Amino acid sequence: MTIPFLSLKDITAKYADEIHEAALRVIDGGWYLQGKENETFEQHYAAYIGSKYCIGCANGLDALIWIFRAYIELGIMQPGDEVIVPANTYIASILSITENGLKPVLVEPNPETLEIDDTKIEAAITPRTKSILIVHLYGRCAMTEKIAEICKKYNLRLVEDNAQAHGCIWNGKRTGSIGEAAGHSFYPGKNLGALGDAGAVTTDNKELADAIRALANYGSQRKYVFKYTGRNSRLDEIQAAILDVKLRHLDEDVALRQQVADYYYDHISNPLITLPKRLPHEQNVYHLFPILVAGGKRDALHDYLEQRGIGTVIHYPIAPHKQECYAKEAWNLPQLSLPITERLADEELSIPMSPCLTQEQIEYVIKCINEFA
């Protein structure tokens, strides 16, 4: 049996007729940028997330970059200010900070939840700290009451990296509407994925939204008038139309992912393997299903499953502070020692997770994992 880690072809095929109709509508309409499809998707996605404003942009990294750049343009932050961020994130979270001349302050995760450890945040705060960037990694909600209290106590801007958690809920609010602003990625493999790169920012702050929309459009708020030195980072009409189709089916697809996850939690049983703390369904949309493999056997399990036709992916084998691009940064000299993050990088393996997995495939994955020694 062959089970790909994620079959984008199968996911697209579920809604192929609607997707084809949407793409043809744009192609035949003759308007390909900044038109009605963008406007419609932005309205629908803002309503889904529960925010007043949604600004489509080129990708998820840009979405985060524009949030911090807007804070600088509005005088809320300045280069050299500090942003607290989880150490065990995809590098895009940290790139958005350093791209703006801000200083990332890396905080270790809780090894049970894999999200930022809220008991370690306060010790990382200095007079230069202006924001906490939480990352809802793997589709798991990273927000806690303690983080909310810390933001209030120190007057910190809460920003969300919601690239992996479309549809997740905390205290009745969807992630992406918990902080002051959030960056979203619609990379094809995400729960809400385009057929190419795409992203968005959500916020309730009109001044921030206006600045971000201008920054992502060359810095222009009206044609040929440039308030900022911006860049071209726009969501195209075909991607917006396709995303609007897939948004209609997002909750049903998440429910299918949660069913797969339940079966994994109930049946994976191998002393070498630890599963992350099980969260209530509303707090985990299972973009990924990570497992931790002890005894230095992660790579062996990866190879073992590959030999049996099962695709897996390591997220992420080299921690951001260990990457060459940050080796000489002042905030990383001498190189940070982050043992929990480093252990997770050595032990994490993501197994197949998709709304298209069959029961037979799920059971085969579990059988192979449980037989591994």
Side-chain angles (χ1 to χ4, degrees):
M1 186 181 297
T2 301
I3 305 172
F5 175 69
L6 178 67
S7 173
L8 294 178
K9 184 177 179 181
D10 288 347
I11 288 174
T12 303
K14 286 185 71 178
Y15 313 115
D17 290 346
E18 294 172 79
I19 289 170
H20 290 166
E21 187 278 327
L24 284 171
R25 183 175 68 245
V26 177
I27 292 166
D28 294 341
W31 192 286
Y32 307 124
L33 275 173
Q34 295 185 300
K36 291 182 179 178
E37 300 293 347
N38 258 266
E39 185 179 330
T40 298
F41 173 68
E42 288 179 350
Q43 289 174 352
H44 289 168
Y45 193 62
Y48 177 83
I49 292 296
S51 61
K52 290 182 181 177
Y53 308 103
C54 171
I55 305 98
C57 60
N59 53 68
L61 172 57
D62 278 6
L64 292 171
I65 287 172
W66 299 136
I67 291 169
F68 290 114
R69 172 73 183 280
Y71 280 137
I72 291 171
E73 293 288 356
L74 296 172
I76 295 165
M77 296 182 191
Q78 59 184 345
D81 284 343
E82 296 173 359
V83 179
I84 289 172
V85 62
N88 66 316
T89 183
Y90 183 56
I91 199 167
S93 310
I94 298 169
L95 286 171
S96 71
I97 299 167
T98 59
E99 173 79 7
N100 284 292
L102 301 168
K103 178 184 175 182
V105 177
L106 278 56
V107 172
E108 290 262 61
N110 179 324
E112 293 187 358
T113 66
L114 310 182
E115 306 300 319
I116 192 168
D117 189 337
D118 60 10
T119 68
K120 296 179 178 178
I121 292 174
E122 204 157 6
I125 294 173
T126 77
R128 294 300 302 267
T129 307
K130 293 294 191 293
S131 174
I132 300 175
L133 173 60
I134 57 172
V135 183
H136 304 294
L137 200 64
Y138 307 119
R140 303 169 60 87
C141 181
M143 187 59 180
T144 67
E145 294 287 357
K146 187 171 183 65
I147 291 173
E149 291 168 6
I150 291 170
C151 287
K152 185 175 181 180
K153 179 178 178 181
Y154 294 94
N155 191 30
L156 303 179
R157 307 277 171 158
L158 180 64
V159 178
E160 298 173 78
D161 182 339
N162 200 49
Q164 300 187 3
H166 317 118
C168 207
I169 296 172
W170 181 77
N171 278 6
K173 298 182 73 173
R174 291 199 190 274
T175 55
S177 68
I178 298 168
E180 184 172 51
H184 308 256
S185 169
F186 306 124
Y187 180 79
K190 299 296 169 64
N191 288 22
L192 179 61
L195 300 189
D197 277 320
V201 175
T202 53
T203 181
D204 283 347
N205 184 324
K206 186 179 188 303
E207 188 180 27
L208 194 68
D210 289 346
I212 289 167
R213 191 175 293 282
L215 285 164
N217 186 35
Y218 298 96
S220 173
Q221 289 183 316
R222 59 191 177 92
K223 197 167 186 177
Y224 301 134
V225 178
F226 302 91
K227 185 172 183 177
Y228 310 111
T229 53
R231 288 218 312 258
N232 176 13
S233 175
R234 298 180 299 207
L235 177 64
D236 72 66
E237 288 285 279
I238 286 182
Q239 300 302 345
I242 290 168
L243 285 166
D244 202 50
V245 169
K246 296 181 81 172
L247 179 60
R248 295 197 290 267
H249 301 285
L250 178 57
D251 287 344
E252 63 190 85
D253 279 349
V254 166
L256 291 170
R257 289 173 178 269
Q258 290 167 338
Q259 289 176 24
V260 175
D262 284 343
Y263 208 83
Y264 280 157
Y265 270 111
D266 292 342
H267 294 90
I268 290 176
S269 178
N270 184 320
L272 289 170
I273 291 169
T274 301
L275 303 185
K277 181 181 178 181
R278 197 169 184 172
L279 299 177
H281 271 177
E282 67 175 15
Q283 293 182 27
N284 196 343
V285 295
Y286 295 101
H287 167 55
L288 300 170
F289 195 94
I291 63 175
L292 302 178
V293 188
K297 293 191 174 183
R298 188 268 310 279
D299 293 350
L301 177 57
H302 171 277
D303 295 345
Y304 169 91
L305 293 174
E306 188 174 73
Q307 289 163 11
R308 283 152 183 79
I310 298 170
T312 61
V313 175
I314 297 167
H315 294 97
Y316 302 94
I318 304 173
H321 70 286
K322 294 275 193 177
Q323 297 287 353
E324 184 178 352
C325 63
Y326 286 138
K328 297 179 181 179
E329 295 295 318
W331 53 266
N332 198 21
L333 289 175
Q335 187 175 81
L336 295 169
S337 174
L338 299 164
I340 298 173
T341 294
E342 291 158 22
R343 177 170 66 82
L344 294 179
D346 290 338
E347 295 185 355
E348 194 278 343
L349 186 68
S350 296
I351 62 176
M353 170 53 68
S354 162
C356 299
L357 287 172
T358 66
Q359 186 64 26
E360 183 183 18
Q361 289 174 322
I362 297 163
E363 290 177 0
Y364 180 67
V365 171
I366 292 168
K367 175 179 180 292
C368 291
I369 288 173
N370 288 344
E371 289 176 352
F372 175 75

